Amino acid sequence: MDTHETPVITAKGLELWYGSAQALRNVDIDIPERKVTALIGPSGCGKSTFLKTLDRMNDLVPGVTIKGSVRYRGQEIYSPEVDVTWLRKQIGMVFQKPNPFPMSIYDNIAYGPRTHGIRNKAKLDEIVEKSLRGAAIWDEVKDRLRKSALSLSGGQQQRVCIARALAVEPDVLLMDEATSALDPISTSKIEELIEDLKNSYTIVIVTHNMQQATRISDKCAFFLLGELIEYGDTDQMFSVPRDRRTEDYITGRFG
Amino acid sequence: MSSQSSPAQAARPGVKKKGFRERLELLMNAIFFLCGAVAVAFVLFISIYLIVSGLPAIREIGLIDFLFGERWASTAKDPAFGILPFILTSVYGTAGAIVVGVPVGFMTAMFLSKISGKKTAGVIRTAVDLLAGIPSVVYGLIGMTVLVPAVRVAFDLASGACLLAAIVVLAVMILPSIISVSETALNAVPKEYEEASLALGATEIETYFRVSAPAASSGIAAAVVLGIGRAIGEAMAIMMVAGNVANMPSLFASVRFLTTAIASEMSYSSGLQRQALFSIALVLFLFIMIINVALNVLLKKSRKEG
């Protein structure tokens, strides 16, 4: 294991309940900088829940209780002094279903920067182009930036959503099964994109697709029933899993 | 055929028997159809009746003099039948009610749909429903006894019965429709849009105004148009607070609307005066028709988006 990795996000003893149902149990994890970390496990294992604790999107769910510690670059994110809009600007999110706003492509990308106070037209133009290039969709949409984002295909919409997330210059990018609603060609485009993006961003993905996890992730975390069973380098986990349950899952014996 | 079935039919279960039950079905279908046809018939009848009885006066007075004449003196020795004061009063009064009522109604809808807890929302929704159920004469009565004196004192007028008082009453009366239609539109906004906005670091209020409201815009526009329809068609309440004099409209003048012009003179009218009242009704009817078409277009658009 590479010992020089700097953790960007560190969770310690993280527990989460939806009402009285416990969804995360004592999760300890270090997420390294500029790597792709994949969260895998069967449905309902807590991987998406864990992802959403990282940008506090779980705050929106009524009846959630969270205990333990999650630090982002040393800052305890559940501390009352933390400005959640600041956190979410640092830690962007791409959702399972492409969810562009019902506005033009341009306005979708400019939404975040405008929210954070950028009004200058030239500056916004620059951000829009840079973000769309960053999400590898500039060439496909540059002639129709004023068209509705909803007129694009599902795969294009998802890349617009990635561009929209990049436009606020986040540090970390969370992707919650970002390719599961897409066809294989769109999926491979987004996987290539993730390979590129990890040079500049720390990326955490949730995926149901084992091949995808092996193809694009450096680190892999296996969740089961709210517990983090195994966490390590992806190559190692998929060749010599330490835990029997991990082996059973990745070889397809359940899930 | 009689309701008694032949042995051959009885031996084949599931085969239709022409009998009492089937004839009852036919009869009921016919009754349902007739009930539906009654609504259509009434609309047709009213439209035709209004056109037939509204046109003669317009022909006699002249369309331009009728629509753009500034003087209405129906019972004078030298009568004048210009309804511009009524048209403008109706337009200004409705616009005023929209300017006052829409922001309040929209904010209430936003509060109910996105911000308030279930219990608070329940209480407010019940109150709004009750507001919708209050008869307009009661609005008029309270306007007359509370609002009109208050306006008189506040603005130091000879009489508080004026366009302003009518605008306030109309604004309150259109609130329930604006609230409920806007709330429905806001509730239909997919949660994913709001999540995306929050995940970008927008606050909840920013999200509601910059994502939810634009996504619900045609539904909200429908709410506004519905409000316009309600306001322009209202008669009783505003007759009691607007002073009912055929002046050209101004905020503190006693004014008469299209609706109240008809209502206040119909009982004693005769001849050309009576015919002119029908012509006013025709003008009002056209306004309402245009508003309804706009409303339907907007609602269709909003359903497609939702």
Side-chain angles (χ1 to χ4, degrees), chain A residues 3-68:
Chain A
T3 48
H4 299 292
E5 290 165 349
T6 357
V8 175
I9 294 172
T10 308
K12 268 209 165 55
L14 180 64
E15 314 240 334
L16 182 144
W17 290 263
Y18 292 122
S20 59
Q22 191 163 9
L24 291 175
R25 295 166 195 272
N26 199 22
V27 174
D28 290 343
I29 197 168
D30 283 339
I31 292 171
E33 185 165 32
R34 295 188 189 186
K35 296 268 190 274
V36 177
T37 302
L39 313 177
I40 61 168
S43 300
C45 68
K47 56 192 190 303
S48 280
T49 297
F50 174 71
L51 192 77
K52 285 183 188 142
T53 57
L54 302 182
D55 65 347
R56 289 189 53 174
M57 287 298 280
N58 275 331
D59 291 14
L60 307 176
V61 183
V64 161
T65 321
I66 295 168
K67 285 195 181 132

Side-chain angles (χ1 to χ4, degrees), chain A residues 55-57 59 82-89, chain B residues 198 201:
Chain A
D55 65 347
R56 289 189 53 174
M57 287 298 280
D59 291 14
V82 166
D83 175 3
V84 75
T85 64
W86 165 84
L87 179 76
R88 290 182 185 149
K89 184 178 176 301
Chain B
L198 294 168

Side-chain angles (χ1 to χ4, degrees), chain B residues 103 287 295:
Chain B
F287 270 111
L295 181 66

